Structures are given as structure tokens and as C-alpha cells.
Amino acid sequence: LPDSVFQQIRPYLQLETPVFRKINLNTASVQDFAAHPYFDFPQAKLIVAYREQHGAFRSVRDLEWIVVFSYKGWLEKVMPYLTVE
């Protein structure tokens, strides 16, 4: 994009900080998790099933107890989007 074109369209450009809602591990439904781009439907079902079997999560790191989520890279990527309340 030539600078001259950028300068012409610059007044029309806006940069907004994305606002996202954190997903509460203890109250979110399968659909809530599955609607997030980092979770697929089978993962969403696993989280809810684990919560139903073992009780409330005490921290986001409790996801490490679910074997398929123990991969550190994935957990680090999703942690900013999760909360435990």
C-alpha cells in the first residue's frame, strides 16, 4: 500500500482494543466453550464432564488434570481467556 493511499484513508481507520469475556470454568456450558475459537466441541464436553465428576475447578491450572489438556503450550494460550469464580 503506497504511503499516499494510506495518508488518504488514515482519517477513516480505527484501531480498537478487542474486548473479550472470560469463560468461567465453573459455570460455562458446553456451548459456551465450543463458541470460543480455541475450544472444539469434544474439548468442551470434556471440561464440563470433568467438572461434573470432580467438582468445581479451583484454578485454571486444574485443566492439567485432564490428560488431553496437559500440553503446556495450549494451556498457556487459553489461560488469558479463562477464569475460575
Side-chain angles (χ1 to χ4, degrees), residues 33-47:
F33 286 110
H36 192 280
Y38 288 159
F39 296 92
D40 59 26
F41 192 74
Q43 290 172 322
K45 285 176 50 177
L46 278 172
I47 293 170

Side-chain angles (χ1 to χ4, degrees), residues 4-49:
S4 59
V5 174
F6 174 74
Q7 294 305 325
Q8 287 179 329
I9 65 172
R10 187 176 185 173
Y12 304 103
L13 300 176
Q14 292 182 349
L15 178 62
E16 297 178 9
T17 305
V19 177
F20 58 90
R21 176 183 60 91
K22 288 193 172 200
I23 300 172
N24 185 341
L25 287 174
N26 291 322
T27 60
S29 68
V30 172
Q31 291 76 19
D32 292 333
F33 286 110
H36 192 280
Y38 288 159
F39 296 92
D40 59 26
F41 192 74
Q43 290 172 322
K45 285 176 50 177
L46 278 172
I47 293 170
V48 172

Side-chain angles (χ1 to χ4, degrees), residues 61-75:
R61 288 245 176 240
D62 287 352
L63 284 177
E64 291 176 327
W65 291 103
I66 304 172
V67 175
V68 297
F69 298 129
S70 62
Y71 171 65
K72 300 281 190 234
W74 179 84
L75 186 56

Side-chain angles (χ1 to χ4, degrees), residues 25-26 47 50-51 55-60 62-63 66 84-85:
L25 287 174
N26 291 322
I47 293 170
Y50 184 89
R51 182 180 68 211
F57 290 93
R58 287 177 273 147
S59 78
V60 174
D62 287 352
L63 284 177
I66 304 172
V84 174
E85 297 175 9

